[in-house]
Amino acid sequence: MLSAELLSAFLEIVGPRGLITAQNQLQTYECDGLTAFREAPSAVLLPETTGQVQAILRLCTRHKVPFVARGAGTGLSGGALPTQGSIVIGFSRMTKILNVDLVNHQITVQPGVINANVTVAVAGAGFFYAPDPSSQTVCTIGGNVAENAGGAHCLKYGFTVTHVLEATVVLPSGELVTLGSKSPDAPGYDLLGVFIGSEGTLGIATEMTLRIVRKPEAIQVLLAAFPSISAAAQTVSDIIAAGLLPSAMEIMDRLAIVAAEAAVHPQYPMCDGLLIVEVDGPLAEVKLQAEQVLELCRKNGAIETRHAIDEGDRLLIWKGRKAAFAAAGRLSPNYIVQDGVIPRTTLPVVLEKIAAMANAEGLRVTNVFHAGDGNLHPIVLYRRDNPGEEERAIDLSMRILDLCVETGGSITGEHGVGREKQCSMSYMYAPADLATMQRVRRAFDPDNIANPEKLFPTPRLCGEQKRGHYVPHPVEASGIAEVF
């Protein structure tokens, strides 16, 4: 519990509208999108300026108070989960677009700006912001930076780290630093690259300059229905092998289609494996790529193909895809959205193994994922009121991550490690790797007050949840890379 003296000091910094201490209001902040873990913070602070964030963190350092930064709370790995005795620093009052520089294709924003609003701000001039997580209409740029968010179009345009040029960062000590540069390829260590995706464990970004992209001349979305999800996955590999680079390639299985249809009626063809492919660029190139994609779909046994007839139809197709996670609630009252990465060529084999694992547990798993970059999002469906079912669902979701690692992939593609996967880190990394990462963390945060108990396995949280011993990555085992 915070002392009255410290609360008074926080109040002086942010004012009465920026300090929340009432228990019923603190409940709003006790979890993020991963609701399986909950912990009420000691207080919530809502700063409006970088100077206020600095003052807050100076007090936290002086009194050794842990803090957790929070955007919209849409994260799915428990990254914004408060820890015992911590404060939450929310950014719902730092929502300004500070500068638009169309000449240099840049925009500077505060952390509370909603992802989709960046594109809204520059769309009239023919630009857009490429990273587009499914929650882009509500998630914030600050949260995107913390988790290195991705989205459907990252196959061609890259993840958040590709689009952040410079960040103003408040370190846990309260010191203000600038990481990166608005100019391309600045010399020196890539500390901005270290910061992006660090899940709030190295400090708080209060201003970010983002790269915006010119809207392509033409965009076409194609739908292909397959009799199996493996056939859809094989088509993805064939498209890449043919030298094509669509802006997005997404796969949904039958359960995901049923849920999306019930939620937003995208009028998808009913099938066991639906492939959504978007190609963009000059008009002539788009026409040629679309024909090549459709030919490969037919070669792999597509039973139906079609393309969006106009912009409204294209947006409806994407609406169904982006609503898929939330729509899973129409299939089951409880579910876990998992996030792992595998080599794209292993998609058919891994998807079959996941189905076999689910059948063995008597649970249902629906798949909707970024097939182009091998970023799986298996959704494990269960009922909490069935005794023992939640525990089996959690265990299954974690064994799916183990499978991703064993295939040469990763335990996360875009959702982050947070609280959910920290015990799996020791399955993916050797002790020496984790020790090196901790040294980096302590260089920024020697007191371990910035979003503690996240990312790394701890004896208290993982001592009884061992995920097995470290298994060398196939790249390491083949001698191509070494542990350092």
Side-chain angles (χ1 to χ4, degrees):
M1 178 177 290
L2 303 177
S3 67
E5 179 185 6
L6 187 54
L7 282 173
S8 177
F10 283 144
L11 180 62
E12 188 172 339
I13 294 170
V14 296
R17 293 188 59 209
L19 178 64
I20 297 173
T21 56
Q23 289 302 314
N24 61 338
Q25 296 179 3
L26 292 178
Q27 288 179 351
T28 302
Y29 300 88
E30 66 181 12
C31 69
D32 57 14
L34 181 67
T35 58
F37 301 98
R38 296 173 184 270
E39 178 75 46
S42 297
V44 174
L45 280 73
L46 306 174
E48 291 183 295
T49 67
T50 296
Q52 290 181 353
V53 176
Q54 286 184 271
I56 292 167
L57 296 200
R58 288 193 191 104
L59 278 176
C60 288
T61 293
R62 188 181 309 156
H63 295 275
K64 301 294 183 289
V65 174
F67 64 86
V68 178
R70 178 185 172 106
T74 56
L76 294 169
S77 64
L81 174 73
T83 52
Q84 190 172 22
S86 68
I87 63 167
V88 164
I89 302 174
F91 291 96
S92 58
R93 298 205 300 174
M94 293 185 71
T95 59
K96 294 177 183 172
I97 293 177
L98 301 172
N99 186 48
V100 178
D101 180 358
L102 295 177
V103 174
N104 291 301
H105 299 193
Q106 297 174 5
I107 183 170
T108 302
V109 303
Q110 290 186 318
V113 170
I114 290 174
N115 175 299
N117 287 351
V118 178
T119 290
V120 169
V122 297
F127 289 86
F128 71 105
Y129 179 61
D132 60 340
S134 296
S135 58
Q136 71 176 131
T137 57
V138 289
C139 68
T140 63
I141 295 298
N144 291 176
V145 169
E147 304 293 343
N148 190 21
H153 291 82
C154 290
L155 172 62
K156 180 174 182 178
Y157 292 101
F159 284 65
T160 296
V161 69
T162 310
H163 297 272
V164 181
L165 300 171
E166 183 181 280
T168 299
V169 174
V170 182
L171 299 179
S173 63
E175 182 182 358
L176 194 64
V177 298
T178 300
L179 304 181
S181 169
K182 293 174 184 173
S183 303
D185 197 23
Y189 294 120
D190 182 15
L191 295 180
L192 180 61
V194 173
F195 182 83
I196 296 172
S198 61
E199 305 191 23
T201 61
L202 305 183
I204 295 175
T206 56
E207 293 182 14
M208 287 144 285
T209 297
L210 312 174
R211 186 197 317 274
I212 52 177
V213 182
R214 275 205 175 278
K215 187 178 178 182
E217 179 186 3
I219 305 173
Q220 182 57 274
V221 173
L222 310 167
L223 289 177
F226 291 88
S228 72
I229 196 167
S230 295
Q234 183 59 50
T235 305
V236 170
S237 290
D238 290 351
I239 290 171
I240 297 296
L244 304 173
L245 182 57
S247 54
M249 285 197 286
E250 305 285 299
I251 287 180
M252 302 172 69
D253 67 11
R254 181 177 291 271
L255 276 177
I257 295 170
V258 169
E261 286 293 340
V264 296
H265 319 300
Q267 301 175 23
Y268 292 150
M270 191 56 64
C271 60
D272 286 331
L274 177 67
L275 176 61
I276 304 173
V277 182
E278 182 170 288
V279 291
D280 66 12
L283 181 59
E285 180 181 314
V286 167
K287 286 184 176 177
L288 178 61
Q289 287 202 17
E291 291 172 2
Q292 292 173 309
V293 167
L294 288 175
E295 183 179 340
L296 290 169
C297 290
R298 296 187 197 101
K299 176 187 170 186
N300 282 290
I303 53 180
E304 180 181 342
T305 61
R306 65 179 172 89
H307 58 78
I309 57 175
D310 54 30
E311 180 65 6
D313 194 26
R314 185 179 79 86
L315 294 177
L316 181 61
I317 289 171
W318 281 118
K319 186 177 181 181
R321 165 60 186 89
K322 290 179 180 291
F325 288 169
R330 295 173 180 263
L331 302 173
S332 174
N334 307 107
Y335 58 91
I336 300 168
V337 179
Q338 198 45 276
D339 168 45
V341 179
I342 58 173
R344 186 174 48 243
T345 53
T346 65
L347 275 171
V349 174
V350 171
L351 291 171
E352 289 177 4
K353 287 184 177 179
I354 291 174
M357 292 162 66
N359 287 336
E361 285 293 341
L363 295 171
R364 294 185 300 164
V365 173
T366 180
N367 291 283
V368 50
F369 56 96
H370 310 308
D373 48 18
N375 188 183
L376 302 181
H377 290 312
I379 304 173
V380 182
L381 309 172
Y382 68 98
R383 295 190 66 93
R384 184 173 290 156
D385 53 3
N386 287 343
E389 196 160 300
E390 183 170 50
E391 290 75 12
R392 289 192 292 120
I394 293 173
D395 179 68
L396 174 60
S397 72
M398 302 314 287
R399 285 192 287 118
I400 290 173
L401 292 184
D402 292 350
L403 176 62
C404 292
V405 174
E406 291 158 7
T407 311
S410 166
I411 60 172
T412 180
E414 56 182 348
H415 294 178
V417 175
R419 172 64 65 81
E420 180 192 30
K421 302 173 189 168
Q422 61 188 142
C423 300
S424 293
M425 286 286 276
S426 56
Y427 193 66
M428 182 165 177
Y429 291 110
D433 295 323
L434 295 172
T436 301
M437 293 183 204
Q438 283 283 17
R439 292 177 68 183
V440 173
R441 175 176 182 161
R442 290 302 178 97
F444 285 79
D445 179 26
D447 295 318
N448 192 29
I449 58 173
N451 206 12
E453 298 193 349
K454 307 290 167 56
L455 260 178
F456 299 101
T458 67
R460 185 178 76 81
L461 296 171
C462 304
E464 297 178 356
Q465 304 176 38
K466 294 184 183 300
R467 303 299 313 162
H469 297 294
Y470 168 71
V471 177
H473 190 283
V475 175
E476 179 191 343
S478 65
I480 298 174
E482 295 180 358
V483 172
F484 60 89

